[in-house]
């Protein structure tokens, strides 16, 4: 499976010098599907590899370098829109990694701008963004109401000129999830950058990445999220991490993520964290489920985790009502 | 994937994987004189697949996927499998090409110099390029022209020429011994028939050319011609480029130098004979 090939290559770039054409083709397809092609290009920098493969990786680097410029510019546009409100604005995920110049940001693809603001100021923030040219994406009243009542973020907004999305969070997991991380503590203990924007402190950054990977969503694109976690665990270490994770109710998830990062990418983790867990194998199977064309295989693993993601998000009665509403609106699962 | 085809078009390598034999067989036949990707490592993968397993067999319909894809793209019936493959390859170029500034334009070459023609769908850029090919020009491409940021040269992308509706009859008459693909009626864009470019276009497809003239043709009006100043050419070419924005400063620099250094003309024409005469006259005056 090409997921395992991608993980092994990121872990040990030197082995790529011996790859034949079919191996390269599987590797590139998997890296593109997992949005890790820019990261792969950085990792393979300086390795003597075939010219055709090198060209593809050079293009990927140029593309993610440009993405970095756009992401930072979008953060700056957001800063300008909110600067007079005197609200702490915390950058999350990819934009935070490049703004703080972390190794997780090297070659990383960045889509939307994600920010975290205090929940009691979210309406003020929303109005200021709309004043500055952002617009709602979801015209559907059910979706809009659902976001506002149950989600950890506003319905996505898109800027009408730059065509870039912003997700405004007030916490890091849906309100319906069983776990309630301490968003106030995250904002209070965040780190201010030179331009006045903030990023989470190292432990909270790891907790957020872990929550995003293991406590929410269906693990689609999970290899990249786990790579982020690998880079942060390697750069920040695990000092104080368990205690902080416990505050957010994420300590078991952090341990699992650390074990998975260790298994896939060889991340250094404390000896007493290296316990055996029978469910890890299932997560590994989902994370690495790519064939030589970048398709998710086997399909049942994908479906299983898709169902799990809904189970994590909603209590059963609510889930039933949600699925019924979506079905009536013509939505069908793939 | 069960069936696989690989090809290089201009400087770009592709592999196409398919759940069905038929699209790959059609590609193998029409692209038989083309080379394989460099080092057998294609730049892009295209996948033609059934949305559900049983749709391979029952009313088979082809989903277009690949390294890059549009999430809401509608499937095509299997009889249009060749078209689906071509669309899949074009999609990779439109969404993900970053090595070259990609212009939605046709291009032909003579004496190492390129004539680039761009315009709205229906302006005739594809038909004019195909007709010029039959009159001694080297076809560089009927759909995309690739501008190299490092050199400013135009690289060709001579995929199968995609003839639509009336252009099919025009080219069957102009190119009686040409190698045509099967007629594909009732596609989302009307009737389509592919034409294999001349052997010379395929043999020389790696050779770039210096851009010498940019034309903006418009079909259906009395013959007319006017110069297009660099500012207008710039704006019109940004609209004709799929990756101008994505390439950032590099894209801006390469397009700026293209319009500064290349004369541009807009021509209106009532019929293709008039257009071809105008092209030849302009070429001899300007180049």
């Amino acid at each position: 499976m090409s997921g395992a090939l991608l993980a092994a290559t990121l872990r040990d770039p030197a082995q790529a010098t011996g790859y034949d054409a079919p191996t390269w083709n599987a590797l590139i397809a998997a890296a593109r599907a997992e949005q890790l092609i820019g990261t792969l290009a950085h990792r393979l920098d300086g390795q003597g590899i075939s010219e055709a493969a090198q060209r593809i990786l050079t293009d990927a680097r140029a593309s993610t370098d440009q993405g970095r410029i756009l992401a930072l510019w979008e953060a700056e546009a957001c800063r300008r829109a909110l600067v007079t409100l005197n609200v702490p604005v915390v950058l999350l995920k990819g934009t935070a990694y490049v703004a703080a110049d972390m190794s997780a940001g090297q070659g990383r693809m960045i889509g939307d701008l994600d920010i975290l603001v205090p929940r009691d100021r979210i309406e003020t923030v929303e109005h200021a963004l709309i004043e500055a040219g952002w617009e709602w994406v979801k015209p559907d009243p059910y979706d809009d109401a659902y976001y506002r009542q149950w989600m950890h973020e506003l319905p996505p907004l898109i800027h009408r000129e730059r065509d870039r999305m912003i997700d405004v969070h007030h916490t890091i997991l849906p309100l319906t999830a069983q776990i309630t991380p301490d968003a106030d503590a995250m904002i209070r203990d965040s780190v201010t950058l030179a331009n006045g924007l903030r990023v989470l402190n190292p432990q909270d950054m790891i907790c957020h990445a872990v929550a995003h990977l293991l406590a929410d969503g269906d693990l689609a694109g999970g290899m990249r999220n786990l790579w982020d976690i690998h880079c942060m665990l390697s750069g920040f270490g695990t000092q104080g991490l368990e205690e902080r994770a416990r505050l957010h109710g994420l300590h078991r998830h952090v341990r699992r993520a650390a074990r998975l990062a260790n298994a896939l990418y060889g991340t250094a983790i404390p000896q007493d964290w290296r316990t055996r867990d029978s469910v890890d194998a299932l997560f590994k199977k989902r994370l690495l489920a790519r064939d030589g064309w970048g398709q998710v295989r086997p399909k049942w693993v994908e479906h299983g985790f898709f169902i799990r993601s809904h189970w994590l998000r909603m209590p059963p009665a609510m889930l039933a009502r949600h699925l019924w509403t979506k079905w009536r609106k013509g939505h069908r699962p793939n | 994937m069960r069936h696989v085809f690989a090809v290089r078009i201009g400087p770009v390598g592709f592999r196409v994987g398919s759940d069905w034999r038929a699209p790959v067989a059609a590609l193998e036949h029409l692209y038989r004189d083309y080379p394989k990707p460099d080092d057998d490592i294609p730049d892009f993968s295209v996948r033609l697949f059934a949305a559900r397993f049983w749709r391979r067999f029952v009313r088979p319909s082809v989903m277009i996927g690949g390294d890059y894809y549009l999430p809401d793209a509608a499937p095509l019936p299997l009889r249009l499998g060749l078209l689906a493959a071509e669309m899949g390859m074009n999609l990779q170029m439109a969404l993900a090409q970053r090595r070259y500034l990609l212009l939605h334009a046709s291009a032909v070459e003579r004496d190492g110099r390129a004539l680039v023609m761009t315009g709205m769908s229906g302006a005739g850029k594809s038909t004019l390029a195909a007709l010029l090919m039959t009159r001694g020009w080297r076809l560089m491409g009927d759909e995309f022209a690739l501008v190299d940021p490092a050199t400013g040269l135009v690289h060709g992308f001579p995929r199968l020429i995609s003839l639509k509706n009336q252009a099919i009859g025009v080219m069957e008459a102009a190119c009686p011994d040409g190698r045509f693909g099967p007629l594909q009626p009732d596609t989302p864009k009307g009737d389509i028939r592919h034409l294999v470019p001349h052997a010379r276009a395929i043999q020389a497809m790696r050779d770039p050319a210096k851009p010498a003239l940019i034309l903006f043709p418009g079909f259906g009006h009395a013959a007319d011609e006017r110069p297009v100043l660099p500012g207008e050419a710039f704006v019109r070419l940004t609209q004709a480029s799929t990756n101008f924005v994505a390439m950032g400063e590099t894209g801006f620099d390469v397009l700026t130098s293209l319009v500064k250094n290349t004369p541009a003309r807009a021509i209106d024409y009532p019929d293709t004979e008039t257009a071809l005469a105008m092209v030849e006259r302009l070429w001899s005056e300007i180049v």
Side-chain angles (χ1 to χ4, degrees):
Chain A
M1 295 294 270
S2 61
L5 171 67
L6 175 58
T9 312
L10 288 170
R11 183 176 179 161
D12 177 20
Q15 69 186 58
T17 52
Y19 287 171
D20 60 5
T23 308
W24 273 113
N25 295 337
L27 177 66
I28 288 163
R32 281 181 171 152
E34 291 290 337
Q35 304 219 337
L36 275 166
I37 186 81
T39 307
L40 183 70
H42 270 270
R43 291 289 289 163
L44 292 180
D45 190 27
Q47 305 287 342
I49 56 176
S50 96
E51 202 183 323
Q54 186 57 59
R55 279 202 308 251
I56 292 168
L57 295 175
T58 304
D59 293 348
R61 266 186 88 141
S63 182
T64 47
D65 285 352
Q66 177 63 19
R68 183 187 186 100
I69 293 170
L70 290 181
L72 291 174
W73 175 243
E74 200 59 25
E76 172 60 16
C78 170
R79 188 192 69 79
R80 291 180 189 183
L82 302 180
V83 68
T84 56
L85 302 183
N86 213 16
V87 173
V89 177
V90 183
L91 301 174
L92 300 174
K93 303 186 204 170
T95 311
Y97 305 154
V98 295
D101 205 22
M102 293 160 48
S103 63
Q106 282 193 344
R108 195 184 190 278
M109 301 238 216
I110 302 167
D112 308 342
L113 171 62
D114 294 279
I115 62 169
L116 173 70
V117 298
R119 193 172 185 190
D120 58 2
R121 303 297 305 276
I122 200 150
E123 279 183 24
T124 324
V125 168
E126 184 178 10
H127 288 146
L129 290 173
I130 287 166
E131 281 291 298
W134 277 271
E135 298 170 338
W136 287 297
V137 183
K138 301 231 175 194
D140 184 300
Y142 173 77
D143 287 348
D144 189 81
Y146 184 89
Y147 264 90
R148 286 171 195 281
Q149 192 174 1
W150 299 117
M151 288 297 279
H152 51 307
E153 59 195 2
L154 289 175
L157 293 158
I158 193 161
H159 196 275
R160 62 168 170 257
E161 282 155 21
R162 292 190 306 278
D163 208 27
R164 299 275 292 195
M165 293 243 270
I166 185 169
D167 285 331
V168 182
H169 302 242
H170 54 77
T171 183
I172 62 165
L173 282 177
L175 303 177
T176 47
Q178 290 140 20
I179 302 165
T180 46
D182 187 344
D184 292 338
M186 284 191 165
I187 294 171
R188 186 185 65 225
D189 299 333
S190 58
V191 180
T192 307
L193 302 171
N195 63 0
L197 291 169
R198 301 177 181 218
V199 296
L200 296 174
N201 72 33
Q203 290 75 33
D204 283 347
M205 243 190 223
I206 294 173
C207 286
H208 179 220
V210 169
H212 188 57
L213 177 67
L214 294 179
D216 190 21
D218 58 3
L219 269 84
M223 280 194 79
R224 185 189 64 175
N225 296 329
L226 193 65
W227 179 258
D228 292 341
I229 292 167
H230 160 76
C231 291
M232 287 190 274
L233 287 174
S234 307
F236 297 144
T238 52
Q239 191 79 31
L241 177 58
E242 184 139 46
E243 195 186 344
R244 189 69 177 181
R246 199 174 292 278
L247 170 75
H248 298 305
L250 288 164
H251 47 287
R252 283 181 300 113
H253 297 84
V254 165
R255 282 222 178 183
R256 187 189 302 285
R259 289 195 304 271
L260 290 169
N262 174 263
L264 263 65
Y265 301 129
T267 318
I269 60 170
Q271 199 59 46
D272 62 326
W273 286 23
R274 299 183 188 200
T275 47
R276 285 187 61 86
D277 184 302
S278 54
V279 188
D280 281 1
L282 212 54
F283 282 91
K284 255 177 81 176
K285 194 159 184 69
R286 172 64 185 95
L287 286 167
L288 298 175
R290 293 280 176 189
D291 72 0
W293 289 77
Q295 304 178 98
V296 180
R297 292 289 183 279
K299 274 286 191 195
W300 65 263
V301 185
E302 184 182 33
H303 289 144
F305 275 88
F306 181 76
I307 291 165
R308 172 183 175 268
S309 74
H310 278 70
W311 192 253
L312 287 175
R313 270 199 175 171
M314 303 176 201
M318 183 177 174
L319 178 57
R321 200 168 67 231
H322 173 74
L323 294 179
W324 172 242
T325 309
K326 282 287 184 184
W327 175 269
R328 273 194 338 211
K329 285 174 178 292
H331 184 84
R332 301 290 181 272
N334 279 320
Chain B
M1 310 281 314
R2 287 166 63 89
H3 306 280
V4 182
F5 169 74
V7 68
R8 178 162 61 75
I9 304 173
V12 187
F14 295 93
R15 65 171 176 163
V16 179
S18 170
D19 280 346
W20 305 271
R21 172 75 191 135
V24 163
L27 290 166
E28 280 169 351
H29 174 63
L30 291 167
Y31 280 108
R32 71 174 186 212
D33 298 327
Y34 284 66
K36 295 294 164 200
D38 293 343
D39 301 345
D40 287 323
I41 300 176
D43 293 275
F44 298 112
S45 296
V46 172
R47 289 185 285 113
L48 306 178
F49 62 99
R52 305 212 192 284
F53 178 74
W54 49 270
R55 288 305 287 269
R56 279 187 199 177
F57 313 103
V58 185
R59 284 189 298 125
S61 70
V62 184
M63 302 287 290
I64 304 171
D67 290 332
Y68 304 92
Y69 57 91
L70 298 174
D72 303 323
L76 290 174
L78 183 55
R79 67 179 175 85
L80 300 180
L82 174 62
L83 180 65
E86 290 284 315
M87 286 170 69
M89 289 192 276
N90 286 347
L91 205 56
Q92 305 309 306
M93 294 293 282
L95 295 178
Q97 177 56 249
R98 296 289 181 272
R99 199 173 306 153
Y100 306 98
L101 182 75
L102 187 147
L103 298 176
H104 189 220
S106 65
V108 290
E109 177 262 355
R110 186 190 268 175
D111 304 326
R113 289 160 172 269
L115 164 66
V116 176
M117 293 176 280
T118 182
M120 310 291 267
S121 191
K125 60 181 165 36
S126 194
T127 316
L128 289 180
L131 285 168
L132 288 167
M133 174 185 82
T134 65
R135 302 188 181 199
W137 296 68
R138 166 169 69 107
L139 180 83
M140 296 186 75
D142 79 317
E143 178 87 6
F144 294 136
L146 311 172
V147 190
D148 187 342
T151 61
L153 298 179
V154 174
H155 287 256
F157 187 72
R159 48 158 223 172
L160 301 179
I161 303 163
S162 173
L163 301 167
K164 296 179 193 82
N165 303 318
Q166 295 91 327
I168 298 171
V170 172
M171 287 314 296
E172 283 168 347
C175 213
D177 50 0
R179 288 183 59 217
F180 288 88
L183 179 68
Q184 301 178 88
D186 306 323
T187 77
K189 289 182 174 176
D191 296 349
I192 288 185
R193 191 166 188 195
H194 291 102
L195 169 62
V196 181
H198 281 176
R200 196 173 134 231
I202 298 168
Q203 279 151 19
M205 72 183 185
R206 209 63 193 262
D207 302 343
K210 189 173 169 7
L213 177 62
I214 301 167
L215 269 190
F216 297 95
F219 171 67
H221 307 278
D224 195 11
E225 174 212 325
R226 68 176 176 88
V228 177
L229 297 177
E232 185 188 340
F234 180 89
V235 172
R236 291 177 75 159
L237 289 174
T238 60
Q239 290 161 352
S241 171
T242 58
N243 63 1
F244 170 73
V245 173
M247 286 186 67
E249 197 174 347
T250 308
F252 182 84
D253 289 343
V254 62
L255 190 56
T256 309
S257 93
L258 177 72
V259 298
K260 272 187 185 163
N261 299 321
T262 318
R265 295 285 186 280
I267 59 167
D268 286 331
Y269 64 95
D271 56 73
T272 49
E273 264 324 305
T274 311
L276 294 171
M278 291 172 90
V279 168
E280 293 286 356
R281 183 175 52 75
L282 279 169
W283 186 260
S284 63
E285 285 171 15
I286 294 171
V287 178

